[in-house]
Structures are given as C-alpha cells and as structure tokens.
Amino acid sequence: MTRYRKQDPEITRRKFINVAMGTTATVGVVSLVSALGTANPVFRLTRDKMPPVKGDILVHAVESKEGQPIRMADLSEKLVRAWPMGKDEDGNSIIRKGDPNNILAVYRFPKGQIQAPTNLEATVEGEIVVYSDVCTHAGCSVADDDQRAGAMKCPCHSGQYDPKQGCKVIGGPPPRPLAQLPVRLDGENLVVGDFFLQNPYPFNEAEWEARKKEVEEQLG
Ligand code: FES
C-alpha cells in the first residue's frame, strides 16, 4: 500500500519559485527573439537615402526653393546646391535628402572651359557639370572659393578643388577629387544619367561597388 507522504513545505516553495523563474526567463527570451525577428533590419536602404540613380531629377536644395527642378537659367559659375529627386515604392516623388551625403554641386561654365580630367560625356554639352558636394577629406559641404574665382573651397580644413578640371584637388588635405555625377537634359529637367563615376564620400571603391549593386537589386 502506497503511503501518501506529505512534502516538505520549504522544498515545495523553492520548487515553485524555480519553475516560475524558469518560465519567466523562457518567456522573456522568446519575446525578445520574436521582437528581433519581426523588427525591420536596422540598416535597410530606404529610397530617401539612396544615392542619386539614373532618371532622378535634380532639384534645388536651398530652403527657399527646395524641391523645385533646376533650370538652365538657374545655373552659372556660382555653385548651386541640389538634391536628387526620385520615386518611392508607390511612385510618388521623393527627395533623397535622408542621407546628407547626397547633396550635389551644380555648375555651368562657358563652353570650352571644362577640361579633362572631367568626363565631358557626363556633362550637358560640355557646359553643365555636377559633383558630389561632400569633401573627400572628412565629409564637410564644399562651397565656392571667395578668394579664387572658379574654384571650390572646403570650410573645414581649407581643401580646394577645381570644378572645371574634374574637381581635382588643388590645395589642402582632401585625398581625392569630388566624384562626378553624369547628367543630361530631359526637356527642361536636369536628370541623372548614371551612378557617380567615382566613389563619393564616405565610400571606398569596394564599398561603392557594393552599394551600387545593392541599389540595382533593390530597384530591380
Ligand atoms: S573636410 Fe574638407 S578639407 Fe577637411
């Protein structure tokens, strides 16, 4: 005959606490894993952060005119800052200013002044040329050089570039030219012809190739 043995109340209490703690921990881990599993990937490349892509329209970046398409008449030997404007997943226009490194510098020089190593085929009729406006030294936005007509100067450490010659470095610490962006005219709009021809800040060559691939895959 089996005799019922009364359990030690202390053992029962400890057992209960252990089971309860184990259950809570398990539920906690499961919740965390589910939350992580369903969360959006942190580094997903959204359309507003994509670098300029073929077909984007260049629009003014200055606050008073932001979003207005840039026209030939707006351009001169003075720097005009621009954003690329593309489409979101629903086909609506989106300015790609989610990444400040997408800011662009647009110039129009009299015919014959733009020379090698500028890629002339990536300009509009040898007159309009577009570069990344982000310094290759440490990422500051580059401006016109007040002391030297036709040149660009970085306000951070005085890096200087020549926009008539492929934005080659003509002074200061930048390690390489500003990247040139191919453009063309489509009606009245200034439109991106392709990706940057060189790796723009902050990418090295391999990273830039990977980013282009990622964008192409995402846009199909
Ligand atoms: S960030 Fe432009 S020269 Fe240093």
Side-chain angles (χ1 to χ4, degrees), residues 135 137-140 154 156-157 159 173:
C135 186
H137 178 228
C140 294
C154 177
C156 291
H157 314 97

Side-chain angles (χ1 to χ4, degrees), residues 24-96:
T24 307
T26 306
V27 168
V29 169
V30 168
S31 307
L32 181 63
V33 168
S34 341
L36 288 174
T38 54
N40 284 330
V42 178
F43 297 113
R44 186 167 169 269
L45 184 61
T46 52
R47 300 284 175 112
D48 65 319
K49 292 188 176 69
M50 272 185 187
V53 296
K54 193 174 181 174
D56 283 359
I57 294 172
L58 298 198
V59 297
H60 284 280
V62 65
E63 207 176 324
S64 58
K65 295 195 242 180
E66 191 180 88
Q68 293 178 22
I70 289 177
R71 301 292 182 223
M72 288 284 271
D74 300 331
L75 299 172
S76 69
E77 298 172 47
K78 292 275 177 203
L79 181 152
V80 170
R81 289 205 173 91
W83 293 118
M85 186 172 76
K87 299 285 183 194
D88 67 13
E89 287 83 351
D90 301 320
N92 300 314
S93 294
I94 187 165
I95 299 177
R96 302 194 202 280

Side-chain angles (χ1 to χ4, degrees), residues 135-142 153-161 171-174:
C135 186
T136 57
H137 178 228
C140 294
S141 188
V142 189
K153 189 170 182 179
C154 177
C156 291
H157 314 97
S158 302
Q160 292 169 286
Y161 300 91

